[in-house]
Amino acid sequence: MTGTQTRIVLARLPQGVPVVEDFTAETVPIPQPGEGSFLARTVLLSLDPYVRSAIAGRHPGHAASSPGDLVPGRGVARVIESRHAGFAEGELLVVETGWQEFLVSDGRNARLVDVRMAPASTALGVLGMPGLTAWAGITSLAAVRPGETVVVSAAAGAVGSAAGQIARIGGARVVGIAGSREKCALATGTCGLHACVNYRQEGWQAELRRATDGSVHVYFDNVGGPILDAVMDLLAPGGRVVLCGLIGQYNTGVPLTVPLASIIKRRARLMGLVVYDHEHLFPEYLATASAWVRDGRMRYVEDRAIGLEAAPAAFHRLMTGANVGKSIVVVTPEDPDA
Ligand SMILES: NC(=O)c1ccc[n+]([C@@H]2O[C@H](COP(=O)([O-])OP(=O)(O)OC[C@H]3O[C@@H](n4cnc5c(N)ncnc54)[C@H](OP(=O)(O)O)[C@@H]3O)[C@@H](O)[C@H]2O)c1
C-alpha cells in the first residue's frame, strides 16, 4: 500500500500535565513492511496513564522521548499486508501502534483479538492490560476473601472499575472512591459496588469511614497522595494495600510519601504492582472475565474520542481526570470492529 498517513508527534516535552499544544500532527509516507513484518491500520488507540511516564523515560522499555518523536501507545490494528508467517491479512491484533494511522511491526508483543469473545475495544480495557492489572492486584497480590471490605480509588476508571467488580464478584464488600457524582453513580450503578465516596465533596473522609465501618481489609490504590493517606488511616489490623498507580502525583513533581506511622500501627502490608510481572495470568483472566462480560456480571464503560487528531485532547482529559471509563480513540471509525 502506498500513500500518506497522519501521525501525532511531540511538539515539545510536556511540563506537568500534558496539554494539546505539546503535540502536533504530521503527514508522512505509509511505511512498507519488509520480510518478517506486516503493515497494519490502527482501528482503536488506547490512552493510558503510563504514556506520560513513557514520554518522560520513566517506564520500562521506553527511552525518554524528544520533540519530533512519535507518541508511544498500544491499540487494536488490522493487518493489511503481511510478510510475516505468523500474521495474516485481515487479522485484528493488540499491538504497539503509536499515535499513527498505519504501522509496520515484527509482531513483538502482538496478541490476536477474537471479536467472537467480546467487542474489539475490550481488548484495550476490561479484557486487556487494565483488566489484568486489576485481576493480579485483587486475586494474586491481595488475595481478597469473601466478606472482606475492599476500597478502590479511581473506581470509575479502566483499572478501578475492573478491580471493584472482580472483588465484588469474589464476595467482598466494595467501596469505591471517585472524583464526581457521575463517576460514583457509575461505580454503584453500572459496576454494582456497595458504596462510592466522591472525594471532591467536603466531608468525604467521614463518609468513607461510615461506608467502611472504619475497617478496610484491602485497599487497591490507583492515585496515591491524600486519598492513600486517608484510607491508610482506616486499615484493619494486618490490612493489605496494593500500590497500583500514583496518578494524583504523576504531573506534580511533589515527592511521593506513604504514611509510615499508619503502616506500623495497622501492621499493614504494602505491595507494589507491575502488570508485566503477571502476564502468565492472562489466559486464566481472559477466560474468566470474558464469560463475566458476556453474562453481564462484569460491565465496562468507555470514554471514546473520534479521529486520531482528537488524541491529544483526550489524553489531556485522561491526565486531568475528566475521562469516565476506559479512554479510547477511534482512529478508523469505518472499520466494522471499531
Ligand atoms: N501498576 C501497573 O502495572 C499499572 C497498570 C495499569 C495502570 N496503572 C495505574 O492505574 C491507575 C489507573 O489507570 P487507568 O488506565 O485505569 O486510568 P483511569 O482510572 O481510567 O483514569 C485515570 C483516573 O485517575 C483519577 N485521578 C486521580 N487523581 C488524578 C489527577 N491528579 N489527575 C488525573 N486523574 C486523576 C481520575 O479519576 P477520579 O476523578 O475518580 O479521581 C481519572 O479518571 C493509574 O495510576 C495508572 O498509572 C498501573
Side-chain angles (χ1 to χ4, degrees):
M1 184 171 184
T2 54
T4 58
Q5 67 150 329
T6 302
R7 60 184 215 154
I8 309 277
V9 299
L10 280 176
R12 62 187 187 198
L13 286 180
Q15 302 296 325
V17 178
V19 293
V20 170
E21 293 73 24
D22 294 331
F23 304 91
T24 186
E26 61 177 32
T27 304
V28 294
I30 294 173
Q32 302 301 312
E35 199 49 47
S37 64
F38 58 81
L39 173 71
R41 182 173 194 160
T42 308
V43 178
L44 302 164
L45 175 66
S46 178
L47 297 182
D48 296 276
Y50 81 82
V51 170
R52 177 69 185 92
S53 318
I55 290 170
R58 294 193 306 257
H59 193 75
H62 289 269
S65 300
S66 302
D69 285 350
L70 177 69
V71 183
R74 285 173 74 77
V76 169
R78 193 174 292 284
V79 179
I80 297 209
E81 217 178 295
S82 183
R83 299 183 66 192
H84 189 302
F87 298 94
E89 228 176 275
E91 280 178 345
L92 213 53
L93 309 171
V94 174
V95 64
E96 177 70 30
T97 54
W99 291 17
Q100 58 186 344
E101 291 177 300
F102 293 90
L103 61 125
V104 163
S105 167
D106 61 6
R108 197 172 321 152
N109 297 325
R111 172 169 73 77
L112 268 177
V113 176
D114 183 354
V115 291
R116 291 165 307 181
M117 190 178 259
S121 62
T122 60
L124 301 176
V126 65
L127 300 181
M129 183 277 283
L132 178 64
T133 305
W135 176 259
I138 294 294
T139 68
S140 185
L141 292 187
V144 169
R145 295 183 285 270
E148 288 191 315
T149 296
V150 174
V151 171
V152 179
S153 53
V159 174
S161 62
Q165 292 182 87
I166 292 165
R168 186 209 75 215
I169 294 167
R173 184 172 188 286
V174 187
V175 177
I177 302 178
S180 70
R181 199 187 300 176
E182 181 196 8
K183 289 182 181 186
C184 276
L186 190 151
T188 53
T190 308
C191 299
L193 303 197
H194 296 81
C196 182
V197 172
N198 175 2
Y199 69 89
R200 291 190 202 273
Q201 217 156 43
E202 209 160 311
W204 68 269
Q205 291 96 335
E207 201 189 326
L208 184 65
R209 181 176 289 277
R210 272 194 301 279
T212 58
D213 289 331
S215 177
V216 175
H217 300 103
V218 171
Y219 175 43
F220 189 106
D221 182 37
N222 283 312
V223 297
I227 296 179
L228 173 63
D229 294 353
V231 184
M232 290 290 296
D233 205 35
L234 299 175
L235 280 186
R240 290 102 75 203
V241 178
V242 176
L243 296 173
C244 174
L246 296 161
I247 193 166
Q249 288 170 294
Y250 289 161
N251 297 305
T252 62
V254 173
L256 307 176
T257 56
V258 279
L260 296 174
S262 294
I263 300 174
I264 297 171
K265 251 192 316 195
R266 317 278 171 196
R267 290 82 162 164
R269 197 147 56 86
L270 275 68
M271 293 162 276
L273 166 58
V274 174
V275 64
Y276 308 120
D277 297 342
H278 302 272
E279 298 284 358
H280 60 284
L281 300 177
F282 190 65
E284 172 197 1
Y285 174 63
L286 188 60
T288 308
S290 62
W292 290 342
V293 168
R294 282 193 299 275
D295 72 18
R297 257 186 298 174
M298 191 157 179
R299 316 265 292 274
Y300 61 94
V301 172
E302 292 172 347
D303 192 290
R304 286 185 166 222
I306 308 295
L308 185 63
E309 268 98 345
F315 192 57
H316 176 73
R317 281 166 52 74
L318 172 68
M319 288 277 98
T320 51
N323 65 308
V324 181
K326 170 65 202 165
S327 192
I328 285 176
V329 179
V330 182
V331 178
T332 310
E334 64 274 21
D335 190 285
D337 295 308

